Amino acid sequence: MTATILFILELICLFVVMILPLLLAIAFFTVMERQLMAAIQRRQGPNIVGFYGIFQAITDGLKLLVKESILPKSANVIIFIFAPVFTFGLAMAGWLVIVGAENSMLSDFNLGLLYIFALSGLGVHTVIMAGWSSNSKYAFLGGLRSAAQMISYEVSLGVIIVGVIIFNGSLNFSTIIENQYTVWYAVPLFPMFIMFFISALAETNRHPFDLPEAEAELVSGYNVEYSAMGFALFFLAEYSNIILISSVAGVLFLGGWHPIIDLFPFNYIPGAFYFASKTIFFMILFIIVRAILPRYRYDQLMRLGWKIFLPLSLALAFFYGSLLLSFNALPTFIN
């Protein structure tokens, strides 16, 4: 009985500490996205619910919560229901190793970077599950497109991460941040930094690489048959992954909680402020790219991943490794 009570209390603490703030961050991120896109496109954004529509996302979430969930007659019900839950769970699990400030992570272990990369690979399975279990040709084609796209750009992302490991010598997020105290990795690894951001757009199925959700061709992609909370879980997982990969980009290339200049008064500002500002910077880039760029064709998307990013990232990884080896500066565990 005592063990059960302790388990329930741990779940409540996990919800309060990690999941609830993340859900609020997703809500305000969607409002920021709609307001910023409206400003770029010179139109009205949300402006009814709350000051400048700040509570619009919360009301949309409550609307989805009370709506009826519709199960397609020919769908595989068990997999159909389990797919969005699994997707949302994977999106939440990635935040266990993210370092917001010094000594503030929930779980600090040496393979944090590999853990994030493994979770992103598991996300492909949930997309296939959702597309296949719906028993709809539109959902199935959207699932196949999304799986092929995510696998293609995971390869280049993995090679780019290898470049960071060559400089750093560790898979631990705290160590990666501490090794950027003098100079951020975005400076020496600038080409990989650019490729990482573009690959992140494709990995999260965001514009201009949102081919799985091409409205003119597939209506809505792999989640076309979902409604109410099923759709809401996919939506929350997608935006959680955007915030997650934005924070990972800030950790890998922009020094995490370290300021640009370690001088007064910069060194008296909490590290969490720098981490949050870098994450928000990448989130705004996601929004701007969506507002100003047209969608890629699918053959262009695949060519960019396999014929440009993969060879270029491999060449850069070999170049940086050779450069460090020639100066006898490779990390110990690589030697």
Side-chain angles (χ1 to χ4, degrees):
M1 185 66 180
T2 305
T4 305
I5 295 175
L6 289 175
F7 179 71
I8 294 174
L9 290 176
E10 287 178 359
L11 289 179
I12 294 174
C13 292
L14 181 64
F15 179 79
V16 172
V17 171
M18 186 181 75
I19 299 180
L20 185 59
L22 181 58
L23 293 179
L24 291 175
I26 293 171
F28 291 118
F29 175 40
T30 57
V31 174
M32 180 178 69
E33 179 181 35
R34 295 172 67 180
Q35 292 284 13
L36 186 56
M37 288 186 63
I40 293 173
Q41 298 168 356
R42 301 185 68 180
R43 58 179 175 81
Q44 286 286 342
N47 57 2
I48 301 298
V49 185
F51 182 71
Y52 278 96
I54 194 170
F55 297 121
Q56 182 65 52
I58 297 176
T59 57
D60 291 340
L62 293 174
K63 178 188 71 174
L64 290 172
L65 182 64
V66 299
K67 277 185 174 292
E68 178 187 2
S69 294
I70 300 173
L71 297 177
K73 184 177 180 180
S74 57
N76 188 317
V77 177
I78 297 177
I79 301 178
F80 185 83
I81 294 174
F82 182 66
V85 177
F86 190 29
T87 304
F88 182 73
L90 288 176
M92 296 297 105
W95 287 94
L96 292 174
V97 296
I98 294 300
V99 185
E102 195 169 4
N103 300 321
S104 69
M105 72 291 296
L106 294 176
S107 177
D108 184 23
F109 65 103
N110 292 330
L111 299 178
L113 190 55
L114 184 62
Y115 171 79
I116 292 289
F117 196 64
L119 287 181
S120 69
L122 287 175
V124 179
H125 297 80
T126 62
V127 169
I128 290 292
M129 288 165 57
W132 178 81
S133 64
S134 299
N135 200 18
S136 165
K137 60 183 179 181
Y138 295 113
F140 185 60
L141 287 173
L144 289 179
R145 275 189 174 191
S146 183
Q149 176 176 327
M150 293 170 73
I151 291 172
S152 300
Y153 282 87
E154 274 175 13
V155 177
S156 60
L157 274 176
V159 177
I160 293 168
I161 289 173
V162 168
V164 175
I165 297 171
I166 289 174
F167 265 67
N168 179 73
S170 175
L171 294 168
N172 184 282
F173 279 113
S174 299
T175 306
I176 293 172
I177 292 174
E178 289 301 331
N179 288 341
Q180 298 180 73
Y181 182 81
T182 305
V183 59
W184 295 350
Y185 288 151
V187 177
L189 299 175
F190 185 73
M192 286 190 166
F193 171 59
I194 298 299
M195 287 192 295
F196 182 90
F197 177 71
I198 298 174
S199 298
L201 290 172
E203 181 69 15
T204 53
N205 296 329
R206 287 286 293 187
H207 209 88
F209 306 118
D210 58 339
L211 275 304
E213 301 177 7
E215 295 87 355
E217 306 163 26
L218 300 176
V219 184
S220 180
Y222 58 88
N223 58 2
V224 65
E225 299 292 345
Y226 284 90
S227 59
M229 279 310 296
F231 173 80
L233 289 177
F234 277 120
F235 181 85
L236 291 172
E238 177 184 344
Y239 277 80
S240 174
N241 288 330
I242 293 171
I243 302 175
L244 177 66
I245 204 161
S246 297
S247 62
V248 170
V251 168
L252 295 183
F253 294 99
L254 297 185
W257 62 69
H258 288 309
I260 299 176
I261 304 173
D262 191 30
L263 297 172
F264 180 83
F266 299 104
N267 52 358
Y268 286 96
I269 299 176
F273 172 80
Y274 294 112
F275 175 81
S277 61
K278 293 167 186 176
T279 303
I280 293 173
F281 167 73
F282 283 105
M283 291 161 58
I284 292 175
L285 285 183
F286 270 84
I287 299 171
I288 293 174
V289 167
R290 180 182 177 184
I292 66 176
L293 292 181
R295 179 181 289 133
Y296 262 46
R297 287 202 322 262
Y298 198 73
D299 61 314
Q300 295 174 332
L301 172 72
M302 289 293 138
R303 183 172 66 249
L304 179 66
W306 289 107
K307 294 185 178 181
I308 299 177
F309 278 8
L310 180 58
L312 186 57
S313 57
L314 279 170
L316 286 172
F318 278 114
F319 170 74
Y320 288 124
S322 303
L323 190 65
L324 293 178
L325 183 62
S326 64
F327 287 99
N328 197 23
L330 279 176
T332 305
F333 91 104
I334 295 179
N335 284 325

